[in-house]
């Protein structure tokens, strides 16, 4: 059973792995046996120490995914240092909050470019590297707002609904070529991304009151789903958007 979930000998690229969900996913993948390339604009030393403590190789790739410009270098640096790419986790993401009536074009573009455009073009570049090794696994980090509308987060909802659609499109195109494309839709987790929500007492109470598990998610709650979708255990899964949400969507 252990070998079904083993990532031994695999190389994983995780974007936005310096903190929050990306960090927890990177560490979980390393504990399951994968070497990890952490891609991001802030230093990911803490993640590096945890990956190396798990006995795996670690590479930090400094890149700002607000544009697609660094993508060829991300693939080249990872391949040169770690030998190839087997797993890509598109986790880096931002959120901007404003009423739809006041929402600016800058807040629209920043979120769509980071959360959706870079995820697509990094998937495209990584898939080419994966095909050289006979296949791979892509895991997109979606959201409850891949299913629901949300409020005051127009570009975020558009980006995460888009990412869910893209997950299915890429699964359709690449399933027959040995690449699994799936997504995890986290519920409400305690990270920088939800700091404003948690600071707002009213919103925080409302959200907590609707989570059947009775608590916000902790980043390490995502590790199991990430390892599953990155491993042979999910070889027949394509285009799924898997909620890890304490039951939020079941309400
Ligand atoms: P977070 O702590 O804010 O982490 C976001 C990560 O993305 C950070 O590593 C951040 O790097 C990176 N990032 C943002 N813009 C980037 C850019 N231009 N280039 C490179 N890296 C960039 O929030 P999180 O909650 O862990 O978010 C991770 C993912 O989960 C996001 O896609 C988010 O939408 C999604 N998500 C979160 C929740 C939740 O409840 N927390 C729920 C559903 C989905 P810096 O540190 O340099 O900014």
């Amino acid at each position: 059973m252990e070998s079904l979930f083993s990532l031994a000998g695999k190389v994983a690229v995780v974007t936005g792995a310096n903190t929050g969900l990306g960090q927890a996913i990177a560490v979980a993948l390393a504990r399951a046996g994968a070497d990890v390339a952490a891609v991001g604009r802030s230093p990911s030393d803490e993640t590096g120490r945890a990956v190396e403590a798990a006995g795996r190789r670690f590479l930090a790739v400094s890149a700002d995914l607000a544009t697609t410009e660094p993508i060829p270098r991300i693939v080249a640096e990872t391949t040169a240092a770690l030998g190839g790419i087997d797993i890509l986790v598109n986790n880096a993401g931002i959120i901007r909050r404003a009423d739809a009536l006041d929402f600016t074009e800058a807040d629209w573009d920043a979120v769509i470019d980071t959360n959706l455009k870079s995820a697509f073009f990094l998937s495209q570049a990584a898939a080419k590297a994966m095909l050289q090794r006979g296949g791979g696994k892509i895991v997109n980090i979606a959201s409850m707002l891949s299913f629901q509308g949300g409020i005051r987060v127009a570009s975020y909802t558009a980006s995460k609904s888009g990412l869910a659609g893209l997950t299915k499109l890429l699964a359709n195109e690449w399933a027959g070529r040995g690449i699994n494309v799936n997504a995890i839709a986290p519920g409400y987790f305690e990270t920088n991304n939800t700091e404003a929500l948690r600071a707002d007492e009213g919103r925080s109470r409302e959200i907590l009151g609707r989570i059947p598990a009775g608590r916000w998610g902790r980043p390490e709650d995502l590790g199991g789903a990430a390892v599953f979708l990155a491993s042979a255990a999910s070889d027949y899964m394509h285009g799924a958007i898997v909620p890890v949400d304490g039951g939020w969507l079941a309400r």
Side-chain angles (χ1 to χ4, degrees):
M1 183 50 93
E2 201 180 300
S3 67
L4 200 54
F5 295 92
S6 171
L7 303 180
K10 304 291 186 190
V11 174
V13 172
V14 184
T15 66
N18 61 304
T19 184
L21 305 186
Q23 181 177 56
I25 289 169
V27 173
L29 298 181
R31 288 182 182 154
D35 295 328
V36 173
V39 177
R41 56 188 180 178
S42 305
S44 43
D45 303 352
E46 194 180 84
T47 309
R49 283 192 291 276
V51 167
E52 285 169 356
R56 307 314 316 168
R57 292 185 295 166
F58 178 75
L59 174 73
V61 181
S62 175
D64 184 345
L65 291 166
T67 74
T68 56
E69 180 272 327
I71 287 175
R73 183 173 53 79
I74 293 167
V75 174
E77 283 184 22
T78 305
T79 305
L82 301 178
I85 300 176
D86 304 291
I87 299 158
L88 167 65
V89 182
N90 282 309
N91 167 79
I94 56 172
I95 191 162
R96 298 280 167 84
R97 298 176 198 278
D99 291 345
L101 285 175
D102 303 323
F103 216 85
T104 65
E105 193 169 340
D107 281 348
W108 179 269
D109 287 345
V111 173
I112 296 289
D113 286 353
T114 305
N115 296 12
L116 189 57
K117 185 174 177 183
S118 286
F120 171 71
F121 285 102
L122 185 54
S123 298
Q124 181 190 65
K128 289 177 185 168
M130 288 173 184
L131 289 173
Q132 289 171 17
R133 283 153 81 97
K137 304 271 182 178
I138 296 177
V139 182
N140 294 323
I141 303 305
S143 165
M144 292 296 95
L145 302 188
S146 300
F147 303 102
Q148 302 176 309
I151 187 163
R152 304 190 73 247
V153 288
S155 56
Y156 187 81
T157 299
S159 74
K160 295 298 184 178
S161 297
L163 194 58
L166 194 57
T167 300
K168 293 180 245 185
L169 172 126
L170 295 178
N172 291 339
E173 291 203 21
W174 297 342
R177 307 192 64 182
I179 299 177
N180 298 74
V181 187
N182 292 290
I184 295 172
Y188 287 82
F189 278 69
E190 290 166 353
T191 68
N192 302 334
N193 176 288
T194 54
E195 211 173 298
L197 282 183
R198 284 178 290 118
D200 177 337
E201 231 175 83
R203 284 286 283 136
S204 176
R205 202 176 324 107
E206 248 170 53
I207 288 168
L208 196 56
R210 190 211 132 143
I211 301 175
R215 64 169 176 85
W216 285 67
R218 293 186 279 267
E220 51 284 10
D221 287 320
L222 280 192
V227 169
F228 170 55
L229 291 178
S231 71
S234 60
D235 273 354
Y236 197 58
M237 283 184 69
H238 296 282
I241 321 288
V242 181
V244 179
D245 64 352
W248 175 274
L249 286 180
R251 281 294 282 271

